[in-house]
Amino acid sequence: MVGGGRDAFIGAVHRIAARLDDQYELVAGCFSSSPEKALASAADLGVPRAYASFADMAAREARRKDGIEAVAIVTPNHMHAPVAMQFLKRGIHVICDKPLTATLPEAKRLARAAEASGVIFALTHNYTGYPMIRHARALAQSGALGEIRVVQVEYAQDWLAEPIEQSGQKQADWRTDPARTGAGGSTGDIGTHAFNLAGFVTGLELEELAADLQRFVPGRRVDDNGHVMLRYKGGARGMLWCSQVATGNENALRLRVYGTKAGIEWAQEDPNYLWFTPLGQPRQRITRNGPGAGPEAARVSRIPSGHPEGYLEGFANIYAEAARAIIARRDGAAADPAITFPGLREGLEGVAFVDACVRSSARNGAWVKPAL
Amino acid sequence: MVGGGRDAFIGAVHRIAARLDDQYELVAGCFSSSPEKALASAADLGVPRAYASFADMAAREARRKDGIEAVAIVTPNHMHAPVAMQFLKRGIHVICDKPLTATLPEAKRLARAAEASGVIFALTHNYTGYPMIRHARALAQSGALGEIRVVQVEYAQDWLAEPIEQSGQKQADWRTDPARTGAGGSTGDIGTHAFNLAGFVTGLELEELAADLQRFVPGRRVDDNGHVMLRYKGGARGMLWCSQVATGNENALRLRVYGTKAGIEWAQEDPNYLWFTPLGQPRQRITRNGPGAGPEAARVSRIPSGHPEGYLEGFANIYAEAARAIIARRDGAAADPAITFPGLREGLEGVAFVDACVRSSARNGAWVKPAL
Amino acid sequence: MVGGGRDAFIGAVHRIAARLDDQYELVAGCFSSSPEKALASAADLGVPRAYASFADMAAREARRKDGIEAVAIVTPNHMHAPVAMQFLKRGIHVICDKPLTATLPEAKRLARAAEASGVIFALTHNYTGYPMIRHARALAQSGALGEIRVVQVEYAQDWLAEPIEQSGQKQADWRTDPARTGAGGSTGDIGTHAFNLAGFVTGLELEELAADLQRFVPGRRVDDNGHVMLRYKGGARGMLWCSQVATGNENALRLRVYGTKAGIEWAQEDPNYLWFTPLGQPRQRITRNGPGAGPEAARVSRIPSGHPEGYLEGFANIYAEAARAIIARRDGAAADPAITFPGLREGLEGVAFVDACVRSSARNGAWVKPAL
Amino acid sequence: MVGGGRDAFIGAVHRIAARLDDQYELVAGCFSSSPEKALASAADLGVPRAYASFADMAAREARRKDGIEAVAIVTPNHMHAPVAMQFLKRGIHVICDKPLTATLPEAKRLARAAEASGVIFALTHNYTGYPMIRHARALAQSGALGEIRVVQVEYAQDWLAEPIEQSGQKQADWRTDPARTGAGGSTGDIGTHAFNLAGFVTGLELEELAADLQRFVPGRRVDDNGHVMLRYKGGARGMLWCSQVATGNENALRLRVYGTKAGIEWAQEDPNYLWFTPLGQPRQRITRNGPGAGPEAARVSRIPSGHPEGYLEGFANIYAEAARAIIARRDGAAADPAITFPGLREGLEGVAFVDACVRSSARNGAWVKPAL
């Protein structure tokens, strides 16, 4: 693991996610850009091989017979690419937090390098790991929704409703700093999740978007609220709202998709339910592993319906899927075609989405195409 | 009453709403543009004074000593102005369904004439009659929300998901005919409600909007889905979604407002609850007439909390408020300043909203200002 | 109307309910046991024929050619029988609030007299008027639930969580006075509603019950919380909970029925939804007048799905059904077999339920049979 | 681990729960009563030290320097005591699934032996591990609820609505066999959870109960539905419903507690919310780690509010708490007084609850006291 030491948030999530299904062992880490903190964090975590530099880690792990097979990158966004490059060029698989990078050119360079290297590259758009999201995607793919007309996706939080970055809150500090987080604030931090989720479920590709981004909190250096209209290829239309100043919202990612035959609704805070309404029929509440939930949800579920799984389990599904791919690669076997996890393409699309939002908003909401 | 005969939908609603609080008596009507149907409908309803022509009705009622004090206009949109003109020029108060008119020039003419006449003019943006909406407005006015940053408002239905206007469904027929409904379809029919509701609660005035309107159903002549970004005067921003093709939605009008101090959420289908979250505090469920609901809600409530009131009661509140104003006028008394109902200004704003949506969409989503 | 003057609660509800569907006109009343208050209330309400004595009202109305056809009795419980007797013996139909009477012997006498008189007698177990309850009953009758095994019914309030009767709150005063309310407190006031609702929906008849009643509030003279186990004829079992001290509950009447084929759940505070789950299928949300709601619900609905109807509409359905019966009687026509409203049988069963609860609790929860 | 091999349900849950917080390593197991299945299951799981007999496992692990510190017992109920005895007499700590044993005498013997041995004994009443349940308990302990009056607790499932034990479903087979599950069916399997949860949150002790148990499914050998009235010491009253035939319910454990000052409501299927209503104030939705949730919830939470934790996390909290106690014991340190997990006392109370239900029901619902 690179990043994720003391004061970090997402590092601990990755560690639990990796551990949950017993497919990974954490044996080496460079847990901070500060060498002292890196070593101290390794000691905290009882990780045997502690490194003060990620480049050193990559080099030395690559040389060990028992070196790591995969690295988890949980640094601020601007460090994703530099870190990933060190590992993938040595054939070490990468599990990287989102967004892929802080800038689009960097994303393209990373994607090219990663593809050239042949490593497995998983991007933790973790919400795609939720079983009911898998079921939603299966419904869309099966034609049960009919032709998709409208997508409504939103991701609302309120933790940045006040300028807490000015009083040193570490997460707020880097996530509102364009140098580290990228040009998009809420669009990059959570808008990418929303955009990715909509695409994952519907299979729709973005044609163009029009964005109106705001910086509501005085002194904020990146957007903290974004309104985006979406035009997908083939005629579907969407709206995307992301906000970190929506007072009263904790982590309210919500997706609604309406097709000619049926509509679906899902909310991350109540993830074990998918609401499914065929046109002219009553609304159904499909539960994870319950009646009507199909095999796509079941293969990423651990326990029976009525026993709620949550965020960590969904996150762990990304790790478990990547593990299946890594094991197949190691064994020289064909990977199970059911294995599904976000990777470079989704990473590129996400960074291009942020880039397009920023460009559109700078041009007063003009329609712009993703610069892929 | 003018309109609202056999096959009509909203006429019956108006009649119940008028009756609920025992402030109106229905004594005269021209219930259809077809003279036969008009007379037959009057007979169905047991209304003593039946007219085959609304102009005739206005003229004759105005001459009677016991003539009507107020007329309810529940015709298709394009007839609102012609009918209203006949009555208001004779000093008969008007309660008119929304939108005010089918076109903006017509709306302006009607507004001028109505103002000149001095009659009381109530527009049945009935959702403003819901007690919890009154409470939401009071919260905004009191400063409890702080400075408003973000408005999310939506109105989703699915009854036009298929081209039912082509098989003669009467409501679909006129509501998708630009000659009768106006240039906006979903924007005029339900978008105006959503727009009005947001303004009613927040007190915000529209600066400009950018709209992307769609006609999803083959052969449809007006929009059946609309995506709109809003910029309010003073810096607040909003999104508005209206749809009549959102499969699985019945009458899902929903308003969410986020300010610097608190956020609120309300859904028309569960109207007795207002969700109120002060920043950094737990979400509260305020119930109609329950703890925390203020006098603004109580004055338009009839029964205790836990005893749900619904659509008809909210609608009746518009009638009751108008009755209070009419009685005060009749008595030569000053009207209670608490009396609140939508009228000409809201009507003009609504028609200007539709007009702006249509203009913006025609210009590929350019920002346009309401042409008030 | 008898009762329902100043300070009353349920009288106003009855008046709105009677008015909603335009089937009744309120022309006479004795609105209080206090002659002054009776006359003042009539003046408040603009009711033309005001009486200071209900016996006088019955006598004089019976003599008028245009005398009332039906009387609504909305007095405290102990006065239901004396008042009803005066009217029914003169052939005036009765619409009476529940419970039928304050004591079981009185209930039996009243039922005998009413049957002998031949008048139409409607008891306002108003919750049976909710459309989704009608649909629930239709499901049970059709066999869609299979054989019913378990009934869970509850009615929770908190308005008597403190001894407000001791500070003169009028509703609390009589509803906690055994002389006026009867031997049961919460059991009589709301337990009867819960018991009635379960029977209405399921068609099950009580075999015996075991009750544990409490008086939690110091000084209270009747039960304010009741726990009851039910054994129905044929083998179904149930639990009933009624409480007026369940802090945080407003008017939480809730019914759940589980059969071999399907289960249903309904909550009075969200009355437009019926949750229906066939065994092994996803839970469905049936909405009033929406897909899957049958004709039994539609005939007591006024407006489309998504437009919530509430308590007053449900209450009005009892009045409307009674009106249909009264009109058929007046016309000498056969009443529509679909007409459904609670009457003497339900009234007797309700008072017998309270009586059984009180007897069982006095015998430390022994099983007792209703003394019908 | 003893039990939990192929075809088992709860074994896999225990393994994930043990792993989640990285405090346990699974190094030895006797995963089945069938030696072949035991060894095959160990191979499946990659567990190094596989045993064909639990007695052998206990003996040999106790002799190893690196022998296990604790054993997880996940067998059918009748084997809890025999297995636990082997380990605890050798000083190996025990984490045992609930109920403690299949019979009350056995429970008493086991409890005496375990106490004598001095080992740490954790019983996986896992629902007490949910953070919002910890917060609920803290509210009760702090006096925020006032004096508790009413407890409503229920646990509804439908997986035994049909006689699936007759077609060889393994879970149904032993859970409906009195020889293995004990005299109580639904009461033992899930009623004990409900009873335990109510006691855990409220701190109330049972005085006596009256039970009406049913066997609805033809041929069933134990209760599949139970209705229980509870009298707690000190005057609080409760109702408990457990059912495995409640069509449409998956794992619907729900607790509601009403005190003089406030009421709380919690549902296992939506475990991140606690509904808290102080008398005369609006209902509040407290979220895990959100505003208003106290330190008792936070210490057993891993991730921020809005990121749902579920069943596995709650279960893991029991393991984590036990680990803290074991580590303190190993270190000779005083255990943190905040450590909270169910153990022998709760186990005894649970088995006594089942015993009392069965005795009461056999005596036609007479009040009986727990035979502790």
Side-chain angles (χ1 to χ4, degrees), chain D residues 101 103-104 107-108 192 195 206 209 346-359 368-372:
Chain D
T101 59
T103 71
L104 186 52
K108 291 180 177 178
T192 46
F195 179 73
L206 183 66
L209 61 75
E346 291 78 6
L348 272 173
E349 288 170 352
V351 180
F353 163 78
V354 177
D355 173 77
C357 287
V358 171
R359 285 188 292 126
V368 302
K369 292 185 194 307
L372 279 170

PDB file of all heavy atoms in Angstrom, chain D residues 101 103-104 107-108 192 195 206 209 346-359 368-372:
ATOM      1  N   THR D 101     -27.239 -23.046  24.986  1.00  0.00           N
ATOM      2  CA  THR D 101     -27.377 -24.506  24.891  1.00  0.00           C
ATOM      3  C   THR D 101     -28.796 -24.820  24.417  1.00  0.00           C
ATOM      4  O   THR D 101     -29.622 -23.920  24.256  1.00  0.00           O
ATOM      5  CB  THR D 101     -27.208 -25.180  26.276  1.00  0.00           C
ATOM      6  OG1 THR D 101     -28.215 -24.634  27.150  1.00  0.00           O
ATOM      7  CG2 THR D 101     -25.834 -24.894  26.862  1.00  0.00           C
ATOM      8  N   THR D 103     -30.818 -26.846  26.262  1.00  0.00           N
ATOM      9  CA  THR D 103     -31.690 -27.025  27.430  1.00  0.00           C
ATOM     10  C   THR D 103     -31.183 -26.167  28.578  1.00  0.00           C
ATOM     11  O   THR D 103     -30.000 -25.811  28.634  1.00  0.00           O
ATOM     12  CB  THR D 103     -31.722 -28.491  27.919  1.00  0.00           C
ATOM     13  OG1 THR D 103     -30.455 -28.794  28.529  1.00  0.00           O
ATOM     14  CG2 THR D 103     -32.008 -29.461  26.783  1.00  0.00           C
ATOM     15  N   LEU D 104     -32.094 -25.912  29.521  1.00  0.00           N
ATOM     16  CA  LEU D 104     -31.727 -25.043  30.632  1.00  0.00           C
ATOM     17  C   LEU D 104     -30.776 -25.731  31.614  1.00  0.00           C
ATOM     18  O   LEU D 104     -29.801 -25.104  32.057  1.00  0.00           O
ATOM     19  CB  LEU D 104     -33.007 -24.539  31.321  1.00  0.00           C
ATOM     20  CG  LEU D 104     -32.819 -23.494  32.416  1.00  0.00           C
ATOM     21  CD1 LEU D 104     -31.985 -22.319  31.952  1.00  0.00           C
ATOM     22  CD2 LEU D 104     -34.187 -23.001  32.907  1.00  0.00           C
ATOM     23  N   ALA D 107     -27.437 -25.485  30.229  1.00  0.00           N
ATOM     24  CA  ALA D 107     -26.932 -24.111  30.269  1.00  0.00           C
ATOM     25  C   ALA D 107     -26.352 -23.802  31.639  1.00  0.00           C
ATOM     26  O   ALA D 107     -25.301 -23.160  31.778  1.00  0.00           O
ATOM     27  CB  ALA D 107     -28.061 -23.131  29.926  1.00  0.00           C
ATOM     28  N   LYS D 108     -27.057 -24.265  32.674  1.00  0.00           N
ATOM     29  CA  LYS D 108     -26.565 -23.984  34.026  1.00  0.00           C
ATOM     30  C   LYS D 108     -25.248 -24.698  34.290  1.00  0.00           C
ATOM     31  O   LYS D 108     -24.318 -24.124  34.868  1.00  0.00           O
ATOM     32  CB  LYS D 108     -27.629 -24.391  35.047  1.00  0.00           C
ATOM     33  CG  LYS D 108     -28.862 -23.483  34.996  1.00  0.00           C
ATOM     34  CD  LYS D 108     -29.917 -23.897  36.018  1.00  0.00           C
ATOM     35  CE  LYS D 108     -31.092 -22.903  35.979  1.00  0.00           C
ATOM     36  NZ  LYS D 108     -32.160 -23.280  36.922  1.00  0.00           N
ATOM     37  N   THR D 192     -34.750 -15.565  21.127  1.00  0.00           N
ATOM     38  CA  THR D 192     -33.671 -15.247  22.073  1.00  0.00           C
ATOM     39  C   THR D 192     -32.924 -13.984  21.662  1.00  0.00           C
ATOM     40  O   THR D 192     -32.516 -13.200  22.519  1.00  0.00           O
ATOM     41  CB  THR D 192     -32.657 -16.406  22.157  1.00  0.00           C
ATOM     42  OG1 THR D 192     -32.330 -16.836  20.830  1.00  0.00           O
ATOM     43  CG2 THR D 192     -33.228 -17.564  22.942  1.00  0.00           C
ATOM     44  N   PHE D 195     -35.268 -11.076  22.603  1.00  0.00           N
ATOM     45  CA  PHE D 195     -35.308 -10.903  24.046  1.00  0.00           C
ATOM     46  C   PHE D 195     -33.999 -10.300  24.555  1.00  0.00           C
ATOM     47  O   PHE D 195     -33.990  -9.375  25.370  1.00  0.00           O
ATOM     48  CB  PHE D 195     -35.568 -12.260  24.706  1.00  0.00           C
ATOM     49  CG  PHE D 195     -35.601 -12.190  26.188  1.00  0.00           C
ATOM     50  CD1 PHE D 195     -36.686 -11.624  26.845  1.00  0.00           C
ATOM     51  CD2 PHE D 195     -34.538 -12.674  26.952  1.00  0.00           C
ATOM     52  CE1 PHE D 195     -36.706 -11.542  28.229  1.00  0.00           C
ATOM     53  CE2 PHE D 195     -34.565 -12.598  28.331  1.00  0.00           C
ATOM     54  CZ  PHE D 195     -35.651 -12.029  28.972  1.00  0.00           C
ATOM     55  N   LEU D 206     -36.332  -9.513  33.310  1.00  0.00           N
ATOM     56  CA  LEU D 206     -37.641 -10.140  33.207  1.00  0.00           C
ATOM     57  C   LEU D 206     -38.157 -10.587  34.575  1.00  0.00           C
ATOM     58  O   LEU D 206     -37.459 -11.271  35.317  1.00  0.00           O
ATOM     59  CB  LEU D 206     -37.544 -11.366  32.286  1.00  0.00           C
ATOM     60  CG  LEU D 206     -38.866 -12.099  32.028  1.00  0.00           C
ATOM     61  CD1 LEU D 206     -39.812 -11.218  31.245  1.00  0.00           C
ATOM     62  CD2 LEU D 206     -38.611 -13.396  31.277  1.00  0.00           C
ATOM     63  N   LEU D 209     -43.410 -13.936  32.240  1.00  0.00           N
ATOM     64  CA  LEU D 209     -43.935 -13.816  30.878  1.00  0.00           C
ATOM     65  C   LEU D 209     -45.117 -14.760  30.686  1.00  0.00           C
ATOM     66  O   LEU D 209     -45.297 -15.720  31.431  1.00  0.00           O
ATOM     67  CB  LEU D 209     -42.840 -14.086  29.838  1.00  0.00           C
ATOM     68  CG  LEU D 209     -42.145 -15.456  29.799  1.00  0.00           C
ATOM     69  CD1 LEU D 209     -43.037 -16.532  29.188  1.00  0.00           C
ATOM     70  CD2 LEU D 209     -40.865 -15.338  28.986  1.00  0.00           C
ATOM     71  N   GLU D 346     -26.072 -13.575  29.791  1.00  0.00           N
ATOM     72  CA  GLU D 346     -27.031 -13.412  28.705  1.00  0.00           C
ATOM     73  C   GLU D 346     -27.431 -14.769  28.130  1.00  0.00           C
ATOM     74  O   GLU D 346     -28.571 -14.978  27.716  1.00  0.00           O
ATOM     75  CB  GLU D 346     -26.426 -12.531  27.601  1.00  0.00           C
ATOM     76  CG  GLU D 346     -26.246 -11.076  27.989  1.00  0.00           C
ATOM     77  CD  GLU D 346     -25.035 -10.808  28.868  1.00  0.00           C
ATOM     78  OE1 GLU D 346     -24.237 -11.743  29.104  1.00  0.00           O
ATOM     79  OE2 GLU D 346     -24.877  -9.664  29.329  1.00  0.00           O
ATOM     80  N   GLY D 347     -26.475 -15.676  28.115  1.00  0.00           N
ATOM     81  CA  GLY D 347     -26.777 -17.009  27.612  1.00  0.00           C
ATOM     82  C   GLY D 347     -27.798 -17.727  28.479  1.00  0.00           C
ATOM     83  O   GLY D 347     -28.772 -18.317  27.984  1.00  0.00           O
ATOM     84  N   LEU D 348     -27.573 -17.659  29.774  1.00  0.00           N
ATOM     85  CA  LEU D 348     -28.522 -18.271  30.709  1.00  0.00           C
ATOM     86  C   LEU D 348     -29.903 -17.636  30.587  1.00  0.00           C
ATOM     87  O   LEU D 348     -30.932 -18.326  30.558  1.00  0.00           O
ATOM     88  CB  LEU D 348     -28.028 -18.072  32.144  1.00  0.00           C
ATOM     89  CG  LEU D 348     -27.078 -19.136  32.674  1.00  0.00           C
ATOM     90  CD1 LEU D 348     -26.546 -18.703  34.040  1.00  0.00           C
ATOM     91  CD2 LEU D 348     -27.818 -20.482  32.793  1.00  0.00           C
ATOM     92  N   GLU D 349     -29.920 -16.327  30.546  1.00  0.00           N
ATOM     93  CA  GLU D 349     -31.207 -15.631  30.434  1.00  0.00           C
ATOM     94  C   GLU D 349     -31.949 -16.021  29.161  1.00  0.00           C
ATOM     95  O   GLU D 349     -33.173 -16.161  29.159  1.00  0.00           O
ATOM     96  CB  GLU D 349     -30.988 -14.113  30.457  1.00  0.00           C
ATOM     97  CG  GLU D 349     -30.593 -13.601  31.828  1.00  0.00           C
ATOM     98  CD  GLU D 349     -30.138 -12.150  31.804  1.00  0.00           C
ATOM     99  OE1 GLU D 349     -29.978 -11.586  30.700  1.00  0.00           O
ATOM    100  OE2 GLU D 349     -29.926 -11.582  32.901  1.00  0.00           O
ATOM    101  N   GLY D 350     -31.201 -16.199  28.104  1.00  0.00           N
ATOM    102  CA  GLY D 350     -31.832 -16.575  26.839  1.00  0.00           C
ATOM    103  C   GLY D 350     -32.438 -17.968  26.897  1.00  0.00           C
ATOM    104  O   GLY D 350     -33.581 -18.190  26.464  1.00  0.00           O
ATOM    105  N   VAL D 351     -31.688 -18.904  27.440  1.00  0.00           N
ATOM    106  CA  VAL D 351     -32.224 -20.260  27.512  1.00  0.00           C
ATOM    107  C   VAL D 351     -33.390 -20.301  28.495  1.00  0.00           C
ATOM    108  O   VAL D 351     -34.391 -20.999  28.262  1.00  0.00           O
ATOM    109  CB  VAL D 351     -31.109 -21.265  27.871  1.00  0.00           C
ATOM    110  CG1 VAL D 351     -31.667 -22.687  27.935  1.00  0.00           C
ATOM    111  CG2 VAL D 351     -29.976 -21.199  26.839  1.00  0.00           C
ATOM    112  N   ALA D 352     -33.281 -19.544  29.565  1.00  0.00           N
ATOM    113  CA  ALA D 352     -34.395 -19.482  30.521  1.00  0.00           C
ATOM    114  C   ALA D 352     -35.624 -18.836  29.885  1.00  0.00           C
ATOM    115  O   ALA D 352     -36.763 -19.203  30.193  1.00  0.00           O
ATOM    116  CB  ALA D 352     -33.969 -18.695  31.765  1.00  0.00           C
ATOM    117  N   PHE D 353     -35.397 -17.888  28.996  1.00  0.00           N
ATOM    118  CA  PHE D 353     -36.518 -17.271  28.273  1.00  0.00           C
ATOM    119  C   PHE D 353     -37.235 -18.325  27.424  1.00  0.00           C
ATOM    120  O   PHE D 353     -38.465 -18.438  27.459  1.00  0.00           O
ATOM    121  CB  PHE D 353     -36.006 -16.125  27.395  1.00  0.00           C
ATOM    122  CG  PHE D 353     -36.962 -15.698  26.331  1.00  0.00           C
ATOM    123  CD1 PHE D 353     -38.042 -14.893  26.637  1.00  0.00           C
ATOM    124  CD2 PHE D 353     -36.801 -16.120  25.007  1.00  0.00           C
ATOM    125  CE1 PHE D 353     -38.956 -14.509  25.657  1.00  0.00           C
ATOM    126  CE2 PHE D 353     -37.691 -15.744  24.021  1.00  0.00           C
ATOM    127  CZ  PHE D 353     -38.773 -14.938  24.349  1.00  0.00           C
ATOM    128  N   VAL D 354     -36.499 -19.101  26.676  1.00  0.00           N
ATOM    129  CA  VAL D 354     -37.117 -20.139  25.842  1.00  0.00           C
ATOM    130  C   VAL D 354     -37.857 -21.136  26.720  1.00  0.00           C
ATOM    131  O   VAL D 354     -39.018 -21.498  26.453  1.00  0.00           O
ATOM    132  CB  VAL D 354     -36.050 -20.861  24.990  1.00  0.00           C
ATOM    133  CG1 VAL D 354     -36.693 -22.000  24.182  1.00  0.00           C
ATOM    134  CG2 VAL D 354     -35.338 -19.885  24.078  1.00  0.00           C
ATOM    135  N   ASP D 355     -37.196 -21.563  27.783  1.00  0.00           N
ATOM    136  CA  ASP D 355     -37.811 -22.515  28.713  1.00  0.00           C
ATOM    137  C   ASP D 355     -39.123 -21.950  29.274  1.00  0.00           C
ATOM    138  O   ASP D 355     -40.133 -22.659  29.348  1.00  0.00           O
ATOM    139  CB  ASP D 355     -36.809 -22.791  29.834  1.00  0.00           C
ATOM    140  CG  ASP D 355     -37.392 -23.629  30.946  1.00  0.00           C
ATOM    141  OD1 ASP D 355     -37.511 -24.847  30.754  1.00  0.00           O
ATOM    142  OD2 ASP D 355     -37.756 -23.040  31.999  1.00  0.00           O
ATOM    143  N   ALA D 356     -39.102 -20.692  29.633  1.00  0.00           N
ATOM    144  CA  ALA D 356     -40.311 -20.081  30.196  1.00  0.00           C
ATOM    145  C   ALA D 356     -41.412 -19.980  29.143  1.00  0.00           C
ATOM    146  O   ALA D 356     -42.587 -20.227  29.430  1.00  0.00           O
ATOM    147  CB  ALA D 356     -39.987 -18.702  30.768  1.00  0.00           C
ATOM    148  N   CYS D 357     -41.051 -19.629  27.923  1.00  0.00           N
ATOM    149  CA  CYS D 357     -42.053 -19.562  26.852  1.00  0.00           C
ATOM    150  C   CYS D 357     -42.719 -20.921  26.661  1.00  0.00           C
ATOM    151  O   CYS D 357     -43.947 -21.023  26.541  1.00  0.00           O
ATOM    152  CB  CYS D 357     -41.399 -19.138  25.534  1.00  0.00           C
ATOM    153  SG  CYS D 357     -40.942 -17.404  25.458  1.00  0.00           S
ATOM    154  N   VAL D 358     -41.909 -21.952  26.625  1.00  0.00           N
ATOM    155  CA  VAL D 358     -42.448 -23.287  26.378  1.00  0.00           C
ATOM    156  C   VAL D 358     -43.335 -23.714  27.545  1.00  0.00           C
ATOM    157  O   VAL D 358     -44.428 -24.256  27.349  1.00  0.00           O
ATOM    158  CB  VAL D 358     -41.284 -24.278  26.133  1.00  0.00           C
ATOM    159  CG1 VAL D 358     -41.790 -25.720  26.096  1.00  0.00           C
ATOM    160  CG2 VAL D 358     -40.575 -23.922  24.826  1.00  0.00           C
ATOM    161  N   ARG D 359     -42.887 -23.423  28.770  1.00  0.00           N
ATOM    162  CA  ARG D 359     -43.701 -23.793  29.925  1.00  0.00           C
ATOM    163  C   ARG D 359     -45.010 -23.008  29.964  1.00  0.00           C
ATOM    164  O   ARG D 359     -46.079 -23.553  30.220  1.00  0.00           O
ATOM    165  CB  ARG D 359     -42.922 -23.546  31.225  1.00  0.00           C
ATOM    166  CG  ARG D 359     -41.839 -24.606  31.491  1.00  0.00           C
ATOM    167  CD  ARG D 359     -41.243 -24.427  32.883  1.00  0.00           C
ATOM    168  NE  ARG D 359     -40.470 -23.196  32.997  1.00  0.00           N
ATOM    169  CZ  ARG D 359     -40.653 -22.262  33.909  1.00  0.00           C
ATOM    170  NH1 ARG D 359     -41.615 -22.383  34.815  1.00  0.00           N
ATOM    171  NH2 ARG D 359     -39.890 -21.179  33.938  1.00  0.00           N
ATOM    172  N   VAL D 368     -45.350 -17.201  33.862  1.00  0.00           N
ATOM    173  CA  VAL D 368     -44.312 -17.998  34.513  1.00  0.00           C
ATOM    174  C   VAL D 368     -43.066 -17.139  34.683  1.00  0.00           C
ATOM    175  O   VAL D 368     -42.849 -16.193  33.931  1.00  0.00           O
ATOM    176  CB  VAL D 368     -43.947 -19.266  33.705  1.00  0.00           C
ATOM    177  CG1 VAL D 368     -45.178 -20.144  33.483  1.00  0.00           C
ATOM    178  CG2 VAL D 368     -43.309 -18.895  32.381  1.00  0.00           C
ATOM    179  N   LYS D 369     -42.292 -17.492  35.680  1.00  0.00           N
ATOM    180  CA  LYS D 369     -41.043 -16.764  35.922  1.00  0.00           C
ATOM    181  C   LYS D 369     -39.882 -17.542  35.309  1.00  0.00           C
ATOM    182  O   LYS D 369     -39.929 -18.765  35.238  1.00  0.00           O
ATOM    183  CB  LYS D 369     -40.816 -16.611  37.426  1.00  0.00           C
ATOM    184  CG  LYS D 369     -41.829 -15.687  38.085  1.00  0.00           C
ATOM    185  CD  LYS D 369     -41.504 -15.449  39.551  1.00  0.00           C
ATOM    186  CE  LYS D 369     -42.697 -14.816  40.268  1.00  0.00           C
ATOM    187  NZ  LYS D 369     -43.236 -13.601  39.642  1.00  0.00           N
ATOM    188  N   PRO D 370     -38.858 -16.842  34.869  1.00  0.00           N
ATOM    189  CA  PRO D 370     -37.694 -17.556  34.346  1.00  0.00           C
ATOM    190  C   PRO D 370     -37.056 -18.362  35.476  1.00  0.00           C
ATOM    191  O   PRO D 370     -36.927 -17.867  36.594  1.00  0.00           O
ATOM    192  CB  PRO D 370     -36.777 -16.435  33.855  1.00  0.00           C
ATOM    193  CG  PRO D 370     -37.213 -15.212  34.562  1.00  0.00           C
ATOM    194  CD  PRO D 370     -38.675 -15.379  34.834  1.00  0.00           C
ATOM    195  N   ALA D 371     -36.680 -19.591  35.170  1.00  0.00           N
ATOM    196  CA  ALA D 371     -36.168 -20.498  36.200  1.00  0.00           C
ATOM    197  C   ALA D 371     -34.660 -20.385  36.337  1.00  0.00           C
ATOM    198  O   ALA D 371     -33.927 -21.347  36.137  1.00  0.00           O
ATOM    199  CB  ALA D 371     -36.595 -21.916  35.855  1.00  0.00           C
ATOM    200  N   LEU D 372     -34.222 -19.216  36.644  1.00  0.00           N
ATOM    201  CA  LEU D 372     -32.769 -18.968  36.725  1.00  0.00           C
ATOM    202  C   LEU D 372     -32.230 -19.360  38.086  1.00  0.00           C
ATOM    203  O   LEU D 372     -32.907 -19.173  39.097  1.00  0.00           O
ATOM    204  CB  LEU D 372     -32.485 -17.488  36.456  1.00  0.00           C
ATOM    205  CG  LEU D 372     -32.470 -17.159  34.972  1.00  0.00           C
ATOM    206  CD1 LEU D 372     -32.423 -15.663  34.765  1.00  0.00           C
ATOM    207  CD2 LEU D 372     -31.237 -17.795  34.333  1.00  0.00           C
TER     208      LEU D 372
END
